[in-house]
Amino acid sequence: MKKSKEDKQETAQLFLSEWQVRNKEYLEKKAQEKAKKQAELEKKRAELEQKKEEMKAELENQEPSNEEDTVSEEIDTDSPTNEEETEVQDSESEVEEQDEAEVQDQEQDEEEIEQVELLKVPIEKIHWYRALPVLVTSSLVFLASLYFLTPLATMKTIEFTGNKVVSQEELRSSSKIDQRDYTVTVYKNRHHYEQNLKASSPWIENVEMTYQFPLTFKIDVQEYGILGYLQKDSKYYPILTSGEYVKKEVGADALPEERMDVTFSDAGLIKEFVQQLKNVPDSVKKSIRKVDLTPSKVTEDLVSITMSDEHQILVPISHIAKKLPYYEGIHPQLEVPSVVDMEAGIFSYAQGTENEVIHEASNDAQDTESSTQHAEQSTEHSAQSQAEKPEISENN
């Protein structure tokens, strides 16, 4: 039993906090002081008792001579004895008061010791587990509120990368990110800011916004490339790979020497032309120098494409993706500047001989018409002969 009590005391001491240890030391010190006071009071009591006994012995040893003498002696003795008795009574009252104070102090000490003993009892783990979620959530709420009250909540750095045509100031203003916005709200609404940037300029193809701890936002901007230039009233406007053209004039100094010039300004046809060119090999696209709209009676979207080697290609815009790739195989066979006609079929002829080709084509058409007429006449003659044969057989 003793060992178990000692073990309990040792385990209880392990769970004591610093405040409990200090309180325990204070109580022990106070108990020692009380013991000293009590010893001093006991000494005083013993001294007072000795004085009383001495005074009684002196009174008994004295002999009365006369009544007057006795009375006078009694009167004389009463005065000092009364004083001594008052002193003794005062000392006794002080001792009693001190005893009462000691009793009260002991009761308070006992209560404090009981409280300490109660605190010594270890708290079970299950109570810690139950209190842990409350403590965690309350601490998080406190930290969050403290964070939003400080200027740290609105501090942020925005970095743009990948932009070549659109400036940093234009991107910053078009993103609509305010410096007073909280960092958390900017991260939460990052997709909204990406859409703002995409809609702000025709140059921007894609935007990706990422957060980098602690206060940095990196915005990667991808811009469309320039496919060619719209030539309009001796002015040039860039045509992007998205199919749109920018309504901002490009100076003659900024124009490249080898470029594609488009002379028609219909936005729908330009967009379809760019979309069709996506399926054309790069070697063919790079050699295109000029694109003119030359509609015919049959084909409204027919264009004449002038290449870097002075060859011309006639092809409908709607058939560019299907027919223009064949130019790679036709090009090596062309010895002189030629016209590659891809309007109906695919055939080529030298430039300046277009009328001859048309004449030959018309002669071929006349030949085909005469042959068809002859075939029709022969079919009619055979039909008539077949109709006459049964009549002859009937007459026979």
Side-chain angles (χ1 to χ4, degrees), residues 11-206:
T11 53
Q13 286 178 358
L14 292 172
F15 287 99
L16 289 176
S17 63
E18 292 181 1
W19 177 84
Q20 292 172 354
V21 172
R22 290 177 183 174
N23 194 9
K24 187 178 178 183
E25 291 175 354
Y26 170 73
L27 292 174
E28 289 176 355
K29 191 174 180 182
K30 198 171 182 181
Q32 290 176 0
E33 290 177 355
K34 286 179 182 178
K36 288 180 181 179
K37 286 181 180 179
Q38 195 169 1
E40 290 176 356
L41 289 170
E42 287 176 356
K43 285 181 181 180
K44 286 181 180 180
R45 284 177 184 176
E47 290 175 356
L48 289 170
E49 288 177 358
Q50 287 179 0
K51 285 181 179 180
K52 285 180 181 180
E53 289 176 358
E54 289 175 356
M55 289 172 67
K56 286 179 181 179
E58 288 177 358
L59 292 170
E60 289 175 355
N61 290 328
Q62 288 178 359
E63 294 178 356
S65 58
N66 295 321
E67 290 180 359
E68 293 178 357
D69 294 334
T70 53
V71 171
S72 62
E73 284 177 0
E74 285 177 359
I75 291 166
D76 293 333
T77 53
D78 285 337
S79 59
T81 52
N82 289 328
E83 290 177 359
E84 289 177 357
E85 285 178 358
T86 52
E87 289 178 358
V88 171
Q89 288 177 359
D90 293 334
S91 62
E92 285 178 354
S93 62
E94 288 178 359
V95 170
E96 288 176 357
E97 289 176 358
Q98 289 178 356
D99 291 336
E100 290 177 358
E102 285 178 358
V103 170
Q104 290 178 358
D105 292 336
Q106 285 178 358
E107 289 177 356
Q108 289 179 358
D109 294 339
E110 287 176 358
E111 289 177 358
E112 290 177 355
I113 289 164
E114 288 177 358
Q115 290 177 359
V116 170
E117 288 178 352
L118 290 171
L119 290 170
K120 287 180 181 178
V121 178
I123 300 170
E124 294 182 2
K125 290 183 179 179
I126 190 167
H127 298 301
W128 285 109
Y129 294 148
R130 288 174 181 173
L132 190 63
V134 178
L135 293 172
V136 171
T137 51
S138 59
S139 59
L140 288 174
V141 169
F142 173 73
L143 291 172
S145 59
L146 187 65
Y147 169 75
F148 282 109
L149 289 171
T150 58
L152 188 66
T154 57
M155 291 176 64
K156 53 189 169 292
T157 304
I158 300 168
E159 296 179 358
F160 293 96
T161 57
N163 58 309
K164 295 179 181 178
V165 180
V166 187
S167 65
Q168 297 272 344
E169 294 178 356
E170 290 177 354
L171 291 171
R172 195 178 298 277
S173 62
S174 58
S175 66
K176 297 180 181 178
I177 299 173
D178 195 347
Q179 196 65 30
R180 294 171 294 178
D181 293 338
Y182 289 113
T183 308
V184 177
T185 55
V186 172
Y187 176 76
K188 186 179 178 181
N189 299 323
R190 61 188 184 279
H191 299 297
H192 178 69
Y193 297 125
E194 290 175 355
Q195 291 177 359
N196 288 342
L197 288 168
K198 285 181 183 178
S200 65
S201 176
W203 287 96
I204 298 174
E205 180 179 3
N206 191 23

Side-chain angles (χ1 to χ4, degrees), residues 155-159 183 210-218:
M155 291 176 64
K156 53 189 169 292
T157 304
I158 300 168
E159 296 179 358
T183 308
T210 56
Y211 172 69
Q212 201 170 42
F213 186 83
L215 301 172
T216 305
F217 288 95
K218 288 191 174 181

Side-chain angles (χ1 to χ4, degrees), residues 278-328:
K278 288 181 178 179
N279 297 322
V280 177
D282 292 336
S283 59
V284 178
K285 283 192 286 188
K286 288 179 181 179
S287 58
I288 297 174
R289 291 293 170 266
K290 194 174 182 181
V291 182
D292 297 315
L293 184 65
T294 56
S296 63
K297 294 180 180 180
V298 180
T299 310
E300 293 182 355
D301 61 344
L302 185 68
V303 291
S304 176
I305 300 174
T306 305
M307 309 299 286
S308 59
D309 50 10
E310 297 182 358
H311 297 304
Q312 289 184 353
I313 303 170
L314 296 174
V315 61
I317 292 175
S318 57
H319 294 170
I320 285 175
K322 183 171 65 175
K323 294 183 177 182
L324 197 58
Y326 290 109
Y327 180 75
E328 275 190 319

